[in-house]
Amino acid sequence: MSFDLFATSSDNGVTKTQLADQAWHLPNFIQNRDNLLKALLNELIQLAPLRKMKTPSGKLMSVNMTCCGDVGWVSDALGYRYQGTDPLSNLSWPVMPDLFNALAKEAAAAAGFENFEPDSCLINYYSVGARLSMHQDKDEADFSQPIVSVSLGLPATFLFAGLQRNSAQTRIALHHGDVVVWGGASRLAYHGVLPVENGMHDLFGSQRINLTFRKAC
Ligand code: MD3
Ligand code: FE
């Protein structure tokens, strides 16, 4: 399939840049909803605290994580999976806030995915220096559903490649309020985040936060 790399278009007041086949960057898609998102995040992390998970090989990840929704993503010695309960408390994960769900559905629709119904949101908190090495998101049941990512706070450089870890990489800067939607052929692209650089954000301080919305089940 052909597309114009980095072509930017605007309709219905939404600006979007195509990154790859069925991958779209929606700069500042959240607009002025950042204060609401911050308040909701503060409630969520009281119910299900941030924690560093261990990879199946026993390495502590540098990103602090938690989840909300019907299921949450967990990693431990048993592997990667989605489960209905928080392993720290054995309680159900917090309900996904309506604003989270609405934003994810709106962004997916703006990128051409009309029927996205996320059942899980992985919440990543990056302190300065935290990073995510190249990986695929492949623990979800249905790869026809996109993944929607919302970035908040400090900027980061996001890397994405093709369907192989060692395929050519593209880097994009993700800023506070940006949304990226990954579907179709891009759904299984390898991707990662370079170490977050030192800085200070007005609303989120010296942190980057990323919300990824998935249809896991
Ligand atoms: C491309 N998070 O949680 S979001 C993750 O910024 C994750 O915290 C990153 O990768 C972050 O798994 C990147 C952007 C993203 C998410 C899912 C993708 C890009 C993707 C799935 C397929 C291809
Ligand atoms: Fe990922």
Side-chain angles (χ1 to χ4, degrees), residues 29-30 33-45 66-69 94-108 116 118 120-125 148 150 152 179 204 209-214:
F29 185 82
I30 73 158
R33 292 174 280 194
D34 51 358
N35 282 289
L36 289 171
L37 289 172
K38 181 181 172 179
L40 291 167
L41 283 164
N42 285 338
E43 291 178 23
L44 289 169
I45 66 177
T66 189
C67 302
C68 64
V95 171
M96 191 185 299
D98 289 343
L99 175 62
F100 280 31
N101 187 262
L103 263 178
K105 288 180 65 81
E106 269 179 49
F116 185 49
S120 182
C121 176
L122 176 60
I123 301 168
N124 293 332
Y125 275 66
V148 174
V150 177
L152 297 169
V179 172
F204 288 99
I209 300 170
N210 185 269
L211 315 177
T212 53
F213 294 94
R214 298 112 188 282

mmCIF file of all heavy atoms in Angstrom, residues 29-30 33-45 66-69 94-108 116 118 120-125 148 150 152 179 204 209-214:
data_model
loop_
_atom_site.group_PDB
_atom_site.id
_atom_site.type_symbol
_atom_site.label_atom_id
_atom_site.label_comp_id
_atom_site.label_asym_id
_atom_site.label_seq_id
_atom_site.Cartn_x
_atom_site.Cartn_y
_atom_site.Cartn_z
ATOM 1 N N PHE A 29 -3.726 16.354 20.321
ATOM 2 C CA PHE A 29 -5.124 15.917 20.178
ATOM 3 C C PHE A 29 -5.917 16.128 21.469
ATOM 4 O O PHE A 29 -7.125 16.363 21.434
ATOM 5 C CB PHE A 29 -5.173 14.444 19.772
ATOM 6 C CG PHE A 29 -6.551 13.943 19.483
ATOM 7 C CD1 PHE A 29 -7.140 14.159 18.244
ATOM 8 C CD2 PHE A 29 -7.269 13.255 20.452
ATOM 9 C CE1 PHE A 29 -8.418 13.713 17.977
ATOM 10 C CE2 PHE A 29 -8.554 12.800 20.186
ATOM 11 C CZ PHE A 29 -9.136 13.026 18.952
ATOM 12 N N ILE A 30 -5.265 16.052 22.619
ATOM 13 C CA ILE A 30 -6.041 16.162 23.876
ATOM 14 C C ILE A 30 -6.455 17.594 24.184
ATOM 15 O O ILE A 30 -7.321 17.821 25.030
ATOM 16 C CB ILE A 30 -5.286 15.579 25.087
ATOM 17 C CG1 ILE A 30 -4.147 16.479 25.511
ATOM 18 C CG2 ILE A 30 -4.808 14.152 24.831
ATOM 19 C CD1 ILE A 30 -3.741 16.240 26.956
ATOM 20 N N ARG A 33 -7.649 19.123 27.767
ATOM 21 C CA ARG A 33 -8.140 18.118 28.718
ATOM 22 C C ARG A 33 -7.035 17.600 29.636
ATOM 23 O O ARG A 33 -7.231 16.622 30.358
ATOM 24 C CB ARG A 33 -8.821 16.985 27.946
ATOM 25 C CG ARG A 33 -10.118 17.463 27.291
ATOM 26 C CD ARG A 33 -10.765 16.435 26.406
ATOM 27 N NE ARG A 33 -10.140 16.375 25.089
ATOM 28 C CZ ARG A 33 -10.673 15.751 24.027
ATOM 29 N NH1 ARG A 33 -11.829 15.134 24.126
ATOM 30 N NH2 ARG A 33 -10.038 15.746 22.875
ATOM 31 N N ASP A 34 -5.885 18.280 29.637
ATOM 32 C CA ASP A 34 -4.751 17.769 30.420
ATOM 33 C C ASP A 34 -4.972 17.850 31.924
ATOM 34 O O ASP A 34 -4.589 16.930 32.654
ATOM 35 C CB ASP A 34 -3.427 18.426 29.999
ATOM 36 C CG ASP A 34 -3.463 19.942 29.954
ATOM 37 O OD1 ASP A 34 -4.529 20.545 30.219
ATOM 38 O OD2 ASP A 34 -2.405 20.522 29.653
ATOM 39 N N ASN A 35 -5.625 18.922 32.385
ATOM 40 C CA ASN A 35 -5.869 19.011 33.831
ATOM 41 C C ASN A 35 -6.816 17.915 34.309
ATOM 42 O O ASN A 35 -6.626 17.357 35.393
ATOM 43 C CB ASN A 35 -6.427 20.393 34.192
ATOM 44 C CG ASN A 35 -5.337 21.450 34.226
ATOM 45 O OD1 ASN A 35 -4.504 21.456 35.125
ATOM 46 N ND2 ASN A 35 -5.305 22.315 33.224
ATOM 47 N N LEU A 36 -7.832 17.628 33.496
ATOM 48 C CA LEU A 36 -8.764 16.548 33.842
ATOM 49 C C LEU A 36 -8.026 15.214 33.872
ATOM 50 O O LEU A 36 -8.234 14.391 34.779
ATOM 51 C CB LEU A 36 -9.899 16.477 32.821
ATOM 52 C CG LEU A 36 -10.920 17.618 32.853
ATOM 53 C CD1 LEU A 36 -11.849 17.544 31.645
ATOM 54 C CD2 LEU A 36 -11.716 17.549 34.149
ATOM 55 N N LEU A 37 -7.170 14.987 32.880
ATOM 56 C CA LEU A 37 -6.419 13.727 32.841
ATOM 57 C C LEU A 37 -5.514 13.606 34.067
ATOM 58 O O LEU A 37 -5.404 12.530 34.667
ATOM 59 C CB LEU A 37 -5.591 13.639 31.555
ATOM 60 C CG LEU A 37 -6.404 13.434 30.271
ATOM 61 C CD1 LEU A 37 -5.500 13.571 29.046
ATOM 62 C CD2 LEU A 37 -7.089 12.067 30.279
ATOM 63 N N LYS A 38 -4.896 14.706 34.446
ATOM 64 C CA LYS A 38 -4.012 14.672 35.622
ATOM 65 C C LYS A 38 -4.793 14.292 36.878
ATOM 66 O O LYS A 38 -4.336 13.456 37.675
ATOM 67 C CB LYS A 38 -3.326 16.032 35.800
ATOM 68 C CG LYS A 38 -2.387 16.059 36.988
ATOM 69 C CD LYS A 38 -1.726 17.399 37.183
ATOM 70 C CE LYS A 38 -0.965 17.382 38.515
ATOM 71 N NZ LYS A 38 -0.267 18.649 38.763
ATOM 72 N N ALA A 39 -5.967 14.893 37.061
ATOM 73 C CA ALA A 39 -6.773 14.588 38.255
ATOM 74 C C ALA A 39 -7.180 13.115 38.260
ATOM 75 O O ALA A 39 -7.123 12.445 39.307
ATOM 76 C CB ALA A 39 -7.996 15.504 38.291
ATOM 77 N N LEU A 40 -7.581 12.606 37.104
ATOM 78 C CA LEU A 40 -7.978 11.192 37.024
ATOM 79 C C LEU A 40 -6.790 10.274 37.295
ATOM 80 O O LEU A 40 -6.912 9.263 38.006
ATOM 81 C CB LEU A 40 -8.585 10.902 35.650
ATOM 82 C CG LEU A 40 -9.945 11.569 35.398
ATOM 83 C CD1 LEU A 40 -10.313 11.499 33.920
ATOM 84 C CD2 LEU A 40 -11.031 10.924 36.258
ATOM 85 N N LEU A 41 -5.629 10.627 36.742
ATOM 86 C CA LEU A 41 -4.435 9.798 36.973
ATOM 87 C C LEU A 41 -4.100 9.757 38.460
ATOM 88 O O LEU A 41 -3.732 8.700 38.990
ATOM 89 C CB LEU A 41 -3.254 10.344 36.162
ATOM 90 C CG LEU A 41 -3.298 10.007 34.676
ATOM 91 C CD1 LEU A 41 -2.332 10.887 33.881
ATOM 92 C CD2 LEU A 41 -2.980 8.518 34.458
ATOM 93 N N ASN A 42 -4.217 10.892 39.133
ATOM 94 C CA ASN A 42 -3.890 10.906 40.565
ATOM 95 C C ASN A 42 -4.822 9.994 41.352
ATOM 96 O O ASN A 42 -4.382 9.332 42.300
ATOM 97 C CB ASN A 42 -3.899 12.333 41.100
ATOM 98 C CG ASN A 42 -2.665 13.101 40.654
ATOM 99 O OD1 ASN A 42 -1.642 12.502 40.305
ATOM 100 N ND2 ASN A 42 -2.746 14.416 40.650
ATOM 101 N N GLU A 43 -6.096 9.913 40.935
ATOM 102 C CA GLU A 43 -7.018 8.974 41.604
ATOM 103 C C GLU A 43 -6.630 7.529 41.284
ATOM 104 O O GLU A 43 -6.613 6.671 42.168
ATOM 105 C CB GLU A 43 -8.458 9.220 41.142
ATOM 106 C CG GLU A 43 -9.040 10.530 41.633
ATOM 107 C CD GLU A 43 -10.463 10.757 41.113
ATOM 108 O OE1 GLU A 43 -11.154 9.773 40.762
ATOM 109 O OE2 GLU A 43 -10.874 11.928 41.045
ATOM 110 N N LEU A 44 -6.312 7.283 40.016
ATOM 111 C CA LEU A 44 -6.010 5.899 39.612
ATOM 112 C C LEU A 44 -4.784 5.354 40.329
ATOM 113 O O LEU A 44 -4.767 4.191 40.758
ATOM 114 C CB LEU A 44 -5.799 5.831 38.091
ATOM 115 C CG LEU A 44 -7.053 6.017 37.240
ATOM 116 C CD1 LEU A 44 -6.675 6.205 35.770
ATOM 117 C CD2 LEU A 44 -8.005 4.840 37.411
ATOM 118 N N ILE A 45 -3.751 6.190 40.484
ATOM 119 C CA ILE A 45 -2.520 5.667 41.083
ATOM 120 C C ILE A 45 -2.620 5.536 42.598
ATOM 121 O O ILE A 45 -1.750 4.937 43.224
ATOM 122 C CB ILE A 45 -1.263 6.475 40.662
ATOM 123 C CG1 ILE A 45 -1.289 7.894 41.198
ATOM 124 C CG2 ILE A 45 -1.101 6.450 39.146
ATOM 125 C CD1 ILE A 45 -0.021 8.688 40.865
ATOM 126 N N THR A 66 1.133 1.166 35.896
ATOM 127 C CA THR A 66 -0.094 0.636 36.476
ATOM 128 C C THR A 66 -1.105 0.533 35.339
ATOM 129 O O THR A 66 -0.785 0.859 34.190
ATOM 130 C CB THR A 66 -0.607 1.476 37.665
ATOM 131 O OG1 THR A 66 -1.682 0.773 38.295
ATOM 132 C CG2 THR A 66 -1.068 2.858 37.240
ATOM 133 N N CYS A 67 -2.315 0.075 35.651
ATOM 134 C CA CYS A 67 -3.315 -0.148 34.606
ATOM 135 C C CYS A 67 -4.686 0.232 35.116
ATOM 136 O O CYS A 67 -4.933 0.295 36.322
ATOM 137 C CB CYS A 67 -3.369 -1.636 34.217
ATOM 138 S SG CYS A 67 -1.809 -2.314 33.626
ATOM 139 N N CYS A 68 -5.609 0.449 34.166
ATOM 140 C CA CYS A 68 -7.032 0.499 34.495
ATOM 141 C C CYS A 68 -7.789 -0.194 33.375
ATOM 142 O O CYS A 68 -7.233 -0.445 32.302
ATOM 143 C CB CYS A 68 -7.514 1.930 34.729
ATOM 144 S SG CYS A 68 -7.425 3.004 33.289
ATOM 145 N N GLY A 69 -9.048 -0.507 33.666
ATOM 146 C CA GLY A 69 -9.873 -1.208 32.681
ATOM 147 C C GLY A 69 -10.219 -2.616 33.141
ATOM 148 O O GLY A 69 -9.915 -3.007 34.272
ATOM 149 N N PRO A 94 -8.688 -0.579 38.603
ATOM 150 C CA PRO A 94 -9.668 0.516 38.607
ATOM 151 C C PRO A 94 -10.426 0.567 37.264
ATOM 152 O O PRO A 94 -9.862 0.233 36.218
ATOM 153 C CB PRO A 94 -8.814 1.770 38.789
ATOM 154 C CG PRO A 94 -7.536 1.289 39.415
ATOM 155 C CD PRO A 94 -7.326 -0.099 38.894
ATOM 156 N N VAL A 95 -11.676 0.994 37.342
ATOM 157 C CA VAL A 95 -12.490 1.168 36.126
ATOM 158 C C VAL A 95 -11.845 2.238 35.249
ATOM 159 O O VAL A 95 -11.305 3.230 35.744
ATOM 160 C CB VAL A 95 -13.922 1.583 36.528
ATOM 161 C CG1 VAL A 95 -14.749 1.987 35.316
ATOM 162 C CG2 VAL A 95 -14.592 0.447 37.296
ATOM 163 N N MET A 96 -11.896 2.025 33.938
ATOM 164 C CA MET A 96 -11.351 3.034 33.037
ATOM 165 C C MET A 96 -12.249 4.283 33.067
ATOM 166 O O MET A 96 -13.462 4.179 32.832
ATOM 167 C CB MET A 96 -11.281 2.499 31.599
ATOM 168 C CG MET A 96 -10.473 3.426 30.703
ATOM 169 S SD MET A 96 -10.449 2.944 28.974
ATOM 170 C CE MET A 96 -9.698 1.332 29.050
ATOM 171 N N PRO A 97 -11.679 5.447 33.378
ATOM 172 C CA PRO A 97 -12.508 6.664 33.420
ATOM 173 C C PRO A 97 -13.149 6.948 32.059
ATOM 174 O O PRO A 97 -12.556 6.675 31.013
ATOM 175 C CB PRO A 97 -11.506 7.764 33.789
ATOM 176 C CG PRO A 97 -10.360 7.060 34.444
ATOM 177 C CD PRO A 97 -10.286 5.723 33.767
ATOM 178 N N ASP A 98 -14.366 7.500 32.080
ATOM 179 C CA ASP A 98 -15.088 7.800 30.831
ATOM 180 C C ASP A 98 -14.265 8.694 29.905
ATOM 181 O O ASP A 98 -14.290 8.525 28.690
ATOM 182 C CB ASP A 98 -16.424 8.486 31.140
ATOM 183 C CG ASP A 98 -17.433 7.531 31.759
ATOM 184 O OD1 ASP A 98 -17.237 6.304 31.654
ATOM 185 O OD2 ASP A 98 -18.414 8.023 32.348
ATOM 186 N N LEU A 99 -13.556 9.663 30.487
ATOM 187 C CA LEU A 99 -12.763 10.562 29.637
ATOM 188 C C LEU A 99 -11.660 9.796 28.904
ATOM 189 O O LEU A 99 -11.372 10.086 27.734
ATOM 190 C CB LEU A 99 -12.150 11.687 30.477
ATOM 191 C CG LEU A 99 -11.195 12.616 29.724
ATOM 192 C CD1 LEU A 99 -11.909 13.358 28.586
ATOM 193 C CD2 LEU A 99 -10.538 13.614 30.679
ATOM 194 N N PHE A 100 -11.035 8.827 29.577
ATOM 195 C CA PHE A 100 -10.004 8.010 28.910
ATOM 196 C C PHE A 100 -10.612 7.278 27.711
ATOM 197 O O PHE A 100 -10.089 7.302 26.601
ATOM 198 C CB PHE A 100 -9.449 6.958 29.872
ATOM 199 C CG PHE A 100 -8.415 7.429 30.861
ATOM 200 C CD1 PHE A 100 -8.409 8.725 31.355
ATOM 201 C CD2 PHE A 100 -7.442 6.541 31.326
ATOM 202 C CE1 PHE A 100 -7.444 9.122 32.283
ATOM 203 C CE2 PHE A 100 -6.480 6.926 32.246
ATOM 204 C CZ PHE A 100 -6.483 8.222 32.732
ATOM 205 N N ASN A 101 -11.739 6.615 27.988
ATOM 206 C CA ASN A 101 -12.407 5.839 26.946
ATOM 207 C C ASN A 101 -12.811 6.736 25.774
ATOM 208 O O ASN A 101 -12.582 6.394 24.602
ATOM 209 C CB ASN A 101 -13.634 5.172 27.583
ATOM 210 C CG ASN A 101 -14.302 4.217 26.643
ATOM 211 O OD1 ASN A 101 -15.279 4.555 25.995
ATOM 212 N ND2 ASN A 101 -13.756 3.018 26.544
ATOM 213 N N ALA A 102 -13.373 7.905 26.093
ATOM 214 C CA ALA A 102 -13.851 8.815 25.044
ATOM 215 C C ALA A 102 -12.689 9.314 24.194
ATOM 216 O O ALA A 102 -12.778 9.356 22.963
ATOM 217 C CB ALA A 102 -14.611 9.980 25.667
ATOM 218 N N LEU A 103 -11.596 9.702 24.841
ATOM 219 C CA LEU A 103 -10.429 10.195 24.101
ATOM 220 C C LEU A 103 -9.874 9.122 23.172
ATOM 221 O O LEU A 103 -9.541 9.400 22.013
ATOM 222 C CB LEU A 103 -9.321 10.584 25.086
ATOM 223 C CG LEU A 103 -9.161 12.019 25.508
ATOM 224 C CD1 LEU A 103 -8.025 12.123 26.519
ATOM 225 C CD2 LEU A 103 -8.885 12.918 24.303
ATOM 226 N N ALA A 104 -9.777 7.911 23.673
ATOM 227 C CA ALA A 104 -9.214 6.815 22.870
ATOM 228 C C ALA A 104 -10.101 6.529 21.667
ATOM 229 O O ALA A 104 -9.605 6.337 20.548
ATOM 230 C CB ALA A 104 -9.046 5.565 23.724
ATOM 231 N N LYS A 105 -11.418 6.525 21.878
ATOM 232 C CA LYS A 105 -12.338 6.256 20.767
ATOM 233 C C LYS A 105 -12.309 7.379 19.739
ATOM 234 O O LYS A 105 -12.319 7.131 18.537
ATOM 235 C CB LYS A 105 -13.759 6.054 21.301
ATOM 236 C CG LYS A 105 -13.942 4.736 22.036
ATOM 237 C CD LYS A 105 -15.367 4.568 22.556
ATOM 238 C CE LYS A 105 -16.375 4.475 21.437
ATOM 239 N NZ LYS A 105 -16.438 3.116 20.847
ATOM 240 N N GLU A 106 -12.280 8.621 20.232
ATOM 241 C CA GLU A 106 -12.208 9.794 19.330
ATOM 242 C C GLU A 106 -10.958 9.752 18.475
ATOM 243 O O GLU A 106 -10.992 10.040 17.285
ATOM 244 C CB GLU A 106 -12.093 11.088 20.161
ATOM 245 C CG GLU A 106 -13.348 11.784 20.537
ATOM 246 C CD GLU A 106 -13.003 13.019 21.381
ATOM 247 O OE1 GLU A 106 -12.121 13.811 20.978
ATOM 248 O OE2 GLU A 106 -13.593 13.164 22.458
ATOM 249 N N ALA A 107 -9.822 9.449 19.116
ATOM 250 C CA ALA A 107 -8.555 9.447 18.380
ATOM 251 C C ALA A 107 -8.539 8.314 17.360
ATOM 252 O O ALA A 107 -8.105 8.497 16.216
ATOM 253 C CB ALA A 107 -7.382 9.318 19.348
ATOM 254 N N ALA A 108 -9.024 7.154 17.761
ATOM 255 C CA ALA A 108 -9.057 6.022 16.826
ATOM 256 C C ALA A 108 -9.929 6.375 15.623
ATOM 257 O O ALA A 108 -9.541 6.130 14.468
ATOM 258 C CB ALA A 108 -9.583 4.771 17.534
ATOM 259 N N PHE A 116 -13.381 1.210 17.692
ATOM 260 C CA PHE A 116 -12.435 0.838 18.748
ATOM 261 C C PHE A 116 -13.122 0.891 20.108
ATOM 262 O O PHE A 116 -13.739 1.893 20.469
ATOM 263 C CB PHE A 116 -11.245 1.798 18.707
ATOM 264 C CG PHE A 116 -10.137 1.464 19.673
ATOM 265 C CD1 PHE A 116 -9.621 0.182 19.766
ATOM 266 C CD2 PHE A 116 -9.593 2.455 20.490
ATOM 267 C CE1 PHE A 116 -8.591 -0.120 20.650
ATOM 268 C CE2 PHE A 116 -8.554 2.171 21.369
ATOM 269 C CZ PHE A 116 -8.057 0.883 21.453
ATOM 270 N N PRO A 118 -11.692 0.147 23.690
ATOM 271 C CA PRO A 118 -10.589 -0.325 24.534
ATOM 272 C C PRO A 118 -11.117 -0.969 25.812
ATOM 273 O O PRO A 118 -12.077 -0.494 26.406
ATOM 274 C CB PRO A 118 -9.811 0.962 24.844
ATOM 275 C CG PRO A 118 -10.801 2.069 24.685
ATOM 276 C CD PRO A 118 -11.741 1.620 23.599
ATOM 277 N N SER A 120 -8.598 -1.959 28.091
ATOM 278 C CA SER A 120 -7.423 -1.887 28.963
ATOM 279 C C SER A 120 -6.622 -0.634 28.650
ATOM 280 O O SER A 120 -6.499 -0.238 27.493
ATOM 281 C CB SER A 120 -6.552 -3.126 28.729
ATOM 282 O OG SER A 120 -5.439 -3.105 29.595
ATOM 283 N N CYS A 121 -6.087 -0.025 29.701
ATOM 284 C CA CYS A 121 -5.174 1.105 29.525
ATOM 285 C C CYS A 121 -3.942 0.858 30.387
ATOM 286 O O CYS A 121 -4.054 0.709 31.609
ATOM 287 C CB CYS A 121 -5.842 2.412 29.928
ATOM 288 S SG CYS A 121 -4.729 3.845 29.857
ATOM 289 N N LEU A 122 -2.791 0.791 29.732
ATOM 290 C CA LEU A 122 -1.515 0.695 30.440
ATOM 291 C C LEU A 122 -1.004 2.111 30.661
ATOM 292 O O LEU A 122 -0.961 2.912 29.721
ATOM 293 C CB LEU A 122 -0.522 -0.120 29.611
ATOM 294 C CG LEU A 122 0.902 -0.234 30.150
ATOM 295 C CD1 LEU A 122 0.943 -0.901 31.522
ATOM 296 C CD2 LEU A 122 1.766 -1.027 29.168
ATOM 297 N N ILE A 123 -0.667 2.428 31.899
ATOM 298 C CA ILE A 123 -0.251 3.774 32.304
ATOM 299 C C ILE A 123 1.236 3.715 32.639
ATOM 300 O O ILE A 123 1.638 3.043 33.594
ATOM 301 C CB ILE A 123 -1.086 4.234 33.519
ATOM 302 C CG1 ILE A 123 -2.584 4.236 33.160
ATOM 303 C CG2 ILE A 123 -0.614 5.599 34.012
ATOM 304 C CD1 ILE A 123 -3.511 4.407 34.374
ATOM 305 N N ASN A 124 2.041 4.392 31.825
ATOM 306 C CA ASN A 124 3.503 4.365 31.992
ATOM 307 C C ASN A 124 3.994 5.709 32.521
ATOM 308 O O ASN A 124 3.737 6.739 31.886
ATOM 309 C CB ASN A 124 4.180 4.112 30.637
ATOM 310 C CG ASN A 124 3.920 2.729 30.076
ATOM 311 O OD1 ASN A 124 3.693 1.786 30.823
ATOM 312 N ND2 ASN A 124 3.959 2.607 28.763
ATOM 313 N N TYR A 125 4.698 5.693 33.644
ATOM 314 C CA TYR A 125 5.333 6.909 34.187
ATOM 315 C C TYR A 125 6.840 6.790 33.997
ATOM 316 O O TYR A 125 7.467 5.856 34.524
ATOM 317 C CB TYR A 125 5.041 7.067 35.675
ATOM 318 C CG TYR A 125 3.734 7.748 36.007
ATOM 319 C CD1 TYR A 125 2.516 7.135 35.699
ATOM 320 C CD2 TYR A 125 3.702 8.980 36.657
ATOM 321 C CE1 TYR A 125 1.309 7.754 36.022
ATOM 322 C CE2 TYR A 125 2.501 9.595 36.985
ATOM 323 C CZ TYR A 125 1.313 8.983 36.664
ATOM 324 O OH TYR A 125 0.125 9.581 36.983
ATOM 325 N N VAL A 148 -3.923 2.964 20.813
ATOM 326 C CA VAL A 148 -3.942 4.427 20.889
ATOM 327 C C VAL A 148 -3.050 4.850 22.039
ATOM 328 O O VAL A 148 -3.198 4.338 23.154
ATOM 329 C CB VAL A 148 -5.385 4.946 21.098
ATOM 330 C CG1 VAL A 148 -5.386 6.454 21.337
ATOM 331 C CG2 VAL A 148 -6.267 4.589 19.908
ATOM 332 N N VAL A 150 -1.371 8.105 24.286
ATOM 333 C CA VAL A 150 -1.474 9.517 24.676
ATOM 334 C C VAL A 150 -0.232 9.878 25.481
ATOM 335 O O VAL A 150 0.081 9.197 26.468
ATOM 336 C CB VAL A 150 -2.729 9.764 25.542
ATOM 337 C CG1 VAL A 150 -2.802 11.212 26.010
ATOM 338 C CG2 VAL A 150 -3.999 9.380 24.793
ATOM 339 N N LEU A 152 1.944 12.653 27.808
ATOM 340 C CA LEU A 152 1.759 13.800 28.710
ATOM 341 C C LEU A 152 3.097 14.147 29.352
ATOM 342 O O LEU A 152 3.947 13.267 29.559
ATOM 343 C CB LEU A 152 0.761 13.441 29.821
ATOM 344 C CG LEU A 152 -0.674 13.104 29.377
ATOM 345 C CD1 LEU A 152 -1.457 12.499 30.545
ATOM 346 C CD2 LEU A 152 -1.380 14.349 28.840
ATOM 347 N N VAL A 179 -1.218 12.394 20.473
ATOM 348 C CA VAL A 179 -1.787 11.051 20.416
ATOM 349 C C VAL A 179 -1.231 10.362 19.169
ATOM 350 O O VAL A 179 -1.048 11.014 18.135
ATOM 351 C CB VAL A 179 -3.334 11.115 20.379
ATOM 352 C CG1 VAL A 179 -3.936 9.739 20.122
ATOM 353 C CG2 VAL A 179 -3.859 11.693 21.686
ATOM 354 N N PHE A 204 3.175 18.423 34.845
ATOM 355 C CA PHE A 204 3.584 17.083 35.274
ATOM 356 C C PHE A 204 4.999 17.016 35.839
ATOM 357 O O PHE A 204 5.480 15.924 36.175
ATOM 358 C CB PHE A 204 3.413 16.091 34.119
ATOM 359 C CG PHE A 204 1.962 15.782 33.823
ATOM 360 C CD1 PHE A 204 1.297 16.426 32.784
ATOM 361 C CD2 PHE A 204 1.256 14.885 34.606
ATOM 362 C CE1 PHE A 204 -0.049 16.158 32.526
ATOM 363 C CE2 PHE A 204 -0.083 14.607 34.351
ATOM 364 C CZ PHE A 204 -0.735 15.240 33.314
ATOM 365 N N ILE A 209 4.459 10.840 30.990
ATOM 366 C CA ILE A 209 3.427 9.825 31.213
ATOM 367 C C ILE A 209 2.880 9.419 29.860
ATOM 368 O O ILE A 209 2.685 10.267 28.984
ATOM 369 C CB ILE A 209 2.313 10.388 32.126
ATOM 370 C CG1 ILE A 209 2.921 10.789 33.470
ATOM 371 C CG2 ILE A 209 1.188 9.377 32.299
ATOM 372 C CD1 ILE A 209 2.009 11.568 34.370
ATOM 373 N N ASN A 210 2.699 8.126 29.674
ATOM 374 C CA ASN A 210 2.090 7.641 28.440
ATOM 375 C C ASN A 210 0.968 6.691 28.782
ATOM 376 O O ASN A 210 1.119 5.793 29.609
ATOM 377 C CB ASN A 210 3.129 6.944 27.554
ATOM 378 C CG ASN A 210 2.525 6.555 26.219
ATOM 379 O OD1 ASN A 210 2.015 5.457 26.049
ATOM 380 N ND2 ASN A 210 2.548 7.474 25.272
ATOM 381 N N LEU A 211 -0.184 6.911 28.162
ATOM 382 C CA LEU A 211 -1.332 6.026 28.302
ATOM 383 C C LEU A 211 -1.466 5.243 27.005
ATOM 384 O O LEU A 211 -1.516 5.856 25.933
ATOM 385 C CB LEU A 211 -2.614 6.845 28.510
ATOM 386 C CG LEU A 211 -2.534 8.005 29.512
ATOM 387 C CD1 LEU A 211 -3.862 8.752 29.554
ATOM 388 C CD2 LEU A 211 -2.170 7.476 30.890
ATOM 389 N N THR A 212 -1.491 3.920 27.080
ATOM 390 C CA THR A 212 -1.763 3.157 25.849
ATOM 391 C C THR A 212 -3.048 2.374 26.036
ATOM 392 O O THR A 212 -3.192 1.580 26.973
ATOM 393 C CB THR A 212 -0.632 2.194 25.439
ATOM 394 O OG1 THR A 212 -0.299 1.355 26.508
ATOM 395 C CG2 THR A 212 0.574 2.926 24.946
ATOM 396 N N PHE A 213 -3.948 2.620 25.104
ATOM 397 C CA PHE A 213 -5.276 2.003 25.116
ATOM 398 C C PHE A 213 -5.284 0.826 24.183
ATOM 399 O O PHE A 213 -4.859 0.932 23.029
ATOM 400 C CB PHE A 213 -6.323 3.023 24.689
ATOM 401 C CG PHE A 213 -6.457 4.149 25.668
ATOM 402 C CD1 PHE A 213 -5.738 5.316 25.497
ATOM 403 C CD2 PHE A 213 -7.273 4.014 26.776
ATOM 404 C CE1 PHE A 213 -5.845 6.348 26.411
ATOM 405 C CE2 PHE A 213 -7.382 5.047 27.692
ATOM 406 C CZ PHE A 213 -6.662 6.214 27.509
ATOM 407 N N ARG A 214 -5.771 -0.284 24.706
ATOM 408 C CA ARG A 214 -5.757 -1.526 23.944
ATOM 409 C C ARG A 214 -7.101 -2.222 24.043
ATOM 410 O O ARG A 214 -7.811 -2.095 25.034
ATOM 411 C CB ARG A 214 -4.712 -2.495 24.522
ATOM 412 C CG ARG A 214 -3.286 -1.999 24.472
ATOM 413 C CD ARG A 214 -2.711 -1.704 25.846
ATOM 414 N NE ARG A 214 -1.408 -1.045 25.771
ATOM 415 C CZ ARG A 214 -0.274 -1.664 25.507
ATOM 416 N NH1 ARG A 214 -0.274 -2.969 25.343
ATOM 417 N NH2 ARG A 214 0.856 -0.997 25.425
#
